[in-house]
Amino acid sequence: ISPLLACSLLKMRALCVSVVLVVAALLSLPTTCSAAWTTRCTPGTFCNSTDPILDCVPDSDFCEPCPPGFECPDPTTAPAPCPAGFFAAGGAFHCSACPAGSYSPNNTTASCLSCPANFFCAAGSSSPTACGDGLFSTANSSCCVPCTAGFSCSSRGGILTPCPAGTVSSLGASTCTPCAAGTR
């Protein structure tokens, strides 16, 4: 009986390790992992065991889903944190870029945050970018648009503000200007 078969049949940690060590000693087999004994955890999972003998057992009970905010492309290595601008729900094979209109400021993020109004967030953003003078945006935007004629938009918040009576603005204006003499 091979150590691999013994562990697969027994599925009990203490007894399994003992059987592997005894059988390996009797058959003069190595007691460390070989390429043929690597775990069969699937991508999106990882082998959560520090025992080098049990890590080698195919179909191990130590296969666990990758935690949220991490990716597990190789089940034989530890989960890797998602970088800023990326996210992963639990059990992820790879981290995904935050979609346009959202961002992720930290590593190990399970979901992205909505981009606030008067900012824009391109896909994969780690932080919102403020709209410049004469531009504004609504929440969840991936770009800023020119301020509407008759309104002003300044970089002090990029808020679309109606021009007060006696003033006017053109498309993309950051401020309202007084009306020409004799006009309203």
Side-chain angles (χ1 to χ4, degrees):
I1 186 168
S2 74
L4 178 62
L5 180 58
C7 278
S8 294
L9 294 174
L10 295 174
K11 293 282 187 178
M12 294 188 307
R13 180 179 171 86
L15 189 53
C16 183
V17 171
S18 298
V19 168
V20 168
L21 293 176
V22 170
V23 172
L26 291 173
L27 299 176
S28 300
L29 296 173
T31 58
T32 57
C33 294
S34 70
W37 289 16
T38 57
T39 183
R40 290 188 184 159
C41 295
T42 58
T45 66
F46 70 103
C47 187
N48 191 16
S49 174
T50 56
D51 187 323
I53 301 300
L54 291 180
D55 284 352
C56 299
V57 178
D59 303 319
S60 170
D61 290 335
F62 294 99
C63 294
E64 293 186 15
C66 199
F70 290 81
E71 65 181 0
C72 297
D74 180 358
T76 63
T77 61
C82 294
F86 288 75
F87 75 102
F93 177 67
H94 284 297
C95 297
S96 299
C98 288
S102 65
Y103 70 103
S104 170
N106 304 314
N107 292 350
T108 68
T109 301
S111 62
C112 300
L113 303 171
S114 295
C115 199
N118 304 311
F119 288 82
F120 71 93
C121 299
S125 291
S126 59
S127 64
T129 303
C131 294
D133 281 345
L135 301 172
F136 79 102
S137 72
T138 58
N140 304 315
S141 291
S142 60
C143 62
C144 297
V145 295
C147 192
T148 306
F151 292 80
S152 66
C153 303
S154 71
S155 63
R156 290 172 279 148
I159 297 170
L160 189 64
T161 307
C163 290
T167 64
V168 67
S169 72
S170 59
L171 180 68
S174 59
T175 59
C176 298
T177 56
C179 293
T183 61
R184 310 190 320 167

